[in-house]
């Protein structure tokens, strides 16, 4: 349960502080329409709610902490019996690590979003139960034995043998497992005009990364006798009622990257993620990763569906719309320290964050703690994979003075993640989608971290 009234966004009780990666005290913050007051409110609550000590300090010598001399019950007593409910859950001490909805962001809970708690995660894989969700018409738990996938086209010159597959038939075919990020095109979309939301969960949490398992779509298209010279586009359709359809260029299928995925992080997809079958389109915005996939049509031109003509278009400064801008450009975000967290003391911190590019691998990430005057190159943690999240880190001694922390990613095409000023010069301030600007977090003297934008 979150400590926030979902309707009003009001804090119902003092949020409990808890330890996040790198020993920074985490504060549960929720925002209604992204007001800064919540950061302040939560900060005050965090100070009163602090129970531990030495949580964010440099380690103390062993004799410094008498707690080590007391033998707790778990050292002397008998532990719990083997779990019988068959599917493990996180520790009860981790209940603050939740995906969250932004109160007031959407009118219904069906056509809605939940954000992944990036500030609480390690490494690059998003636990399946914390994967962000974007549904246009609610989620379903579809019976896989009744699910079908149809592959068709307008005539037999474009596709020789249209086919219908059962899940059993698909799952018998040769499969691959690959790590990829999925990012909603609207991720960070609230920040175009100004600072809108307090935490990186809300600024960047429509982003997740999994190991997906499935059949390369090219293999199925080969079996159906698709004529790749004519069939240059694919229309993907889901089995939910949202009529959400997107055109996928055939080059992506021919490259072997597009998957008909049924597996996620070693098990079947979660219902929220499209069980039993979804399209995985590496590097492309989330909307093309059609869930509950029931039909693929091949054709010789883009389909210009409503989700291509009116939605997922970029309003440019001149008033015109940019269409089919589907690739997620290179982007990064520092997840610790990030908005809503509190640094309890000066001293050593590991700055850590995520970088990704829809065009390939992340080549380099630079980090600044002085708002961009000086940049240092961060460590990239292996493995660095194409169209996948990359974890970066950097050592930092915080001197207790205000600091502005930013990260700037460069991908292997040489593309450099832009500053807000540079992005707005080209794209204006009234867009929704495809905001990949450099994020700034202000560490205040009090230790409170907040979302800021530099002009
Ligand atoms: N069938 C179906 N597929 C869908 C959607 C949907 O509402 N219905 N939403 C799309 C959008 S906009 C995004 S960002 C991703 C979100 O995937 P996730 O819920 O697994 O995070 O799914 C896409 N595929
Ligand atoms: Mo999306």
């Amino acid at each position: 349960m979150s400590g926030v009234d979902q309707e009003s966004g009001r804090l119902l009780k003092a949020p409990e502080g808890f330890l996040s990666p790198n020993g920074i005290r985490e504060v549960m913050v929720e925002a209604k329409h992204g007001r800064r007051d919540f950061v302040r409110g939560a900060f005050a609550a965090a100070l009163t709610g602090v129970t531990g000590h030495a949580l964010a300090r440099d380690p103390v010598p062993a004799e410094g902490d008498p707690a080590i001399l007391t033998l707790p019950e778990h050292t002397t007593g008998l532990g719990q019996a083997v779990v019988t409910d068959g599917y493990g859950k996180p520790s009860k001490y981790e209940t603050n690590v939740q995906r969250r909805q932004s109160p007031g962001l959407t009118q219904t809970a069906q056509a809605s979003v939940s954000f992944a708690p990036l500030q609480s995660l390690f490494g690059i894989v998003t636990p399946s139960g914390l994967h962000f969700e974007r549904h246009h018409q609610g989620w379903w738990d579809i019976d896989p034995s009744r699910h079908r996938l149809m592959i068709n086209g307008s005539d037999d010159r474009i596709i020789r043998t249209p086919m219908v597959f059962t899940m059993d038939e698909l799952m018998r075919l040769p499969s691959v497992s690959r790590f990829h990020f999925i990012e909603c095109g609207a991720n960070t979309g609230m920040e175009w005009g100004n600072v809108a939301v307090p935490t990186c969960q809300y600024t960047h949490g429509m982003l997740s990364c999994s190991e997906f398992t499935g059949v390369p779509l090219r293999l199925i298209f080969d079996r159906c006798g698709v004529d790749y010279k004519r069939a240059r586009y694919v229309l993907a359709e889901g089995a939910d009622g949202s009529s959400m359809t997107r055109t996928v260029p055939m080059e992506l299928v021919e490259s072997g990257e597009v998957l008909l995925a049924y597996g996620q992080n070693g098990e079947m997809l979660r219902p929220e993620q499209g069980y039993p079958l979804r399209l995985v389109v590496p590097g492309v915005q989330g909307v093309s990763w059609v869930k509950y996939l029931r039909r693929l049509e091949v054709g010789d031109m883009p389909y210009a569906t409503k989700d291509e003509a009116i939605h997922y278009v970029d309003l440019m400064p001149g008033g015109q719309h940019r269409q089919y801008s589907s690739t997620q450009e290179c982007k990064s975000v520092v997840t610790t320290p990030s908005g809503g967290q509190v640094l309890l003391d000066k001293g050593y911190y590991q700055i850590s964050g995520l970088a990704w590019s829809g065009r390939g691998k992340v080549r380099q990430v630079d980090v600044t703690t002085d708002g961009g005057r000086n940049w240092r190159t961060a460590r990239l943690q292996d493995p660095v994979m194409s169209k996948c999240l990359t974890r970066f880190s950097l050592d930092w001694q915080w001197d207790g003075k205000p600091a502005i922390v930013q990260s700037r990613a460069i991908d292997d095409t040489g593309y450099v993640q832009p500053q807000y000023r540079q992005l707005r010069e080209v794209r204006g301030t009234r867009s929704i989608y495809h905001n990949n600007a450099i994020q700034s977090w202000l560490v205040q003297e009090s230790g409170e971290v907040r979302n800021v934008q530099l002009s």
Side-chain angles (χ1 to χ4, degrees):
M1 269 302 290
S2 90
V4 162
D5 178 337
Q6 290 286 333
E7 285 303 307
S8 67
R10 199 164 40 88
L11 290 171
L12 295 177
K13 60 176 169 105
E16 297 145 44
F18 67 96
L19 211 56
S20 83
N22 306 330
I24 292 178
R25 190 158 273 273
E26 189 70 45
V27 183
M28 198 159 66
V29 189
E30 297 259 353
K32 182 176 171 69
H33 306 312
R35 301 240 318 279
R36 285 183 185 174
D37 329 4
F38 286 93
V39 181
R40 274 198 289 275
F43 175 56
L47 287 185
T48 55
V50 171
T51 50
H53 55 94
L55 277 175
R57 299 200 193 121
D58 291 332
V60 289
E63 68 271 19
D65 190 346
I68 191 69
L69 300 174
T70 327
L71 287 186
E73 197 200 346
H74 55 75
T75 312
T76 54
L78 189 60
Q80 312 275 333
V82 166
V83 178
T84 50
D85 65 6
Y87 203 102
K89 292 187 191 63
S91 160
K92 66 182 177 193
Y93 300 106
E94 299 299 322
T95 49
N96 267 337
V97 184
Q98 305 252 336
R99 28 181 190 208
R100 299 196 171 97
Q101 283 180 263
S102 186
L105 184 65
T106 58
Q107 285 175 357
T108 67
Q110 282 83 23
S112 194
V113 185
S114 74
F115 298 82
L118 301 181
Q119 71 282 5
S120 306
L121 304 181
F122 314 110
I124 57 172
V125 171
T126 313
S128 298
L130 295 172
H131 196 288
F132 86 95
E133 299 159 88
R134 173 71 177 107
H135 312 301
H136 287 75
Q137 203 252 15
W139 61 273
W140 297 92
D141 198 356
I142 291 174
D143 179 349
S145 69
R146 295 177 58 192
H147 189 71
R148 298 290 184 274
L149 172 70
M150 177 162 90
I151 317 272
N152 71 328
S154 54
D155 62 69
D156 58 8
R157 287 181 312 158
I158 261 182
I159 177 169
R160 198 174 349 103
T161 325
M163 288 178 88
V164 176
F165 291 87
T166 64
M167 284 306 296
D168 284 340
E169 286 162 357
L170 285 175
M171 291 177 72
R172 284 181 62 178
L173 297 171
S175 66
V176 295
S177 296
R178 292 191 193 126
F179 290 85
H180 289 298
F181 76 82
I182 166 172
E183 182 183 22
C184 176
N187 199 26
T188 324
M190 290 176 279
E191 303 280 307
W192 269 107
N194 213 326
V195 167
V197 289
T199 67
C200 79
Q201 179 156 15
Y202 292 119
T203 56
H204 289 76
M206 282 198 273
L207 170 76
S208 293
C209 184
S210 303
E211 185 196 47
F212 291 101
T213 299
V215 186
L217 179 54
R218 189 179 55 189
L219 197 144
I220 308 272
F221 278 180
D222 287 350
R223 288 200 171 202
C224 296
V226 168
D227 178 352
Y228 294 104
K229 281 203 276 314
R230 291 198 169 86
R232 298 312 302 156
Y233 298 95
V234 183
L235 181 81
E237 181 184 280
D240 55 337
S242 63
S243 325
M244 207 220 66
T245 37
R246 287 287 303 185
T247 304
V248 176
M250 189 62 91
E251 297 97 86
L252 299 179
V253 178
E254 288 175 289
S255 77
E257 285 193 347
V258 177
L259 302 182
L260 292 172
Y262 45 80
Q264 181 186 354
N265 297 331
E267 58 184 1
M268 288 297 286
L269 289 166
R270 293 292 170 92
E272 305 95 297
Q273 268 63 60
Y275 180 90
L277 193 67
R278 95 175 297 170
L279 202 61
V280 164
V281 194
V284 169
Q285 60 180 342
V287 66
S288 294
W289 297 45
V290 174
K291 302 188 274 190
Y292 321 108
L293 185 70
R294 72 184 290 273
R295 194 170 74 90
L296 292 166
E297 182 182 317
V298 295
D300 57 5
M301 30 180 198
Y303 286 81
T305 67
K306 73 164 166 47
D307 291 294
E308 303 172 336
I310 24 179
H311 303 300
Y312 302 92
V313 291
D314 300 317
L315 182 56
M316 302 298 275
Q320 288 198 312
H321 279 110
R322 188 176 75 159
Q323 251 184 317
Y324 293 115
S325 42
S326 306
T327 304
Q328 295 297 102
E329 297 292 355
C330 188
K331 185 168 170 181
S332 69
V333 65
V334 170
T335 52
T336 352
S338 63
Q341 297 181 324
V342 181
L343 279 60
L344 289 188
D345 206 349
K346 42 188 163 191
Y348 174 81
Y349 290 92
Q350 177 182 244
I351 296 176
S352 173
L354 296 165
W356 61 100
S357 167
R359 302 215 182 257
K361 290 184 184 178
V362 170
R363 181 197 287 167
Q364 185 178 324
V365 179
D366 301 319
V367 171
T368 176
T369 54
D370 57 12
R373 268 192 290 276
N374 298 287
W375 293 89
R376 283 196 287 156
T377 302
R379 290 183 292 267
L380 302 188
Q381 186 186 282
D382 282 338
V384 176
M385 293 181 277
S386 180
K387 306 177 185 180
C388 180
L389 295 187
T390 296
R391 173 67 65 176
F392 65 85
S393 63
L394 187 81
D395 299 323
W396 182 42
Q397 291 288 338
W398 184 44
D399 58 9
K401 301 213 180 78
I404 293 179
V405 180
Q406 303 174 323
S407 63
R408 175 181 67 194
I410 304 172
D411 69 15
D412 60 5
T413 70
Y415 176 97
V416 183
Q417 186 185 358
Q419 294 165 351
Y420 264 105
R421 186 174 44 73
Q422 297 170 315
L423 190 66
R424 284 175 181 145
E425 262 167 34
V426 182
R427 301 273 312 280
T429 55
R430 291 166 62 214
S431 250
I432 299 172
Y433 304 103
H434 311 117
N435 176 354
N436 69 327
I438 291 173
Q439 170 69 41
S440 307
W441 302 117
L442 169 65
V443 180
Q444 295 174 292
E445 228 164 324
S446 60
E448 173 202 5
V449 187
R450 62 197 288 177
N451 184 4
V452 294
Q453 286 186 12
L454 304 186
S455 50

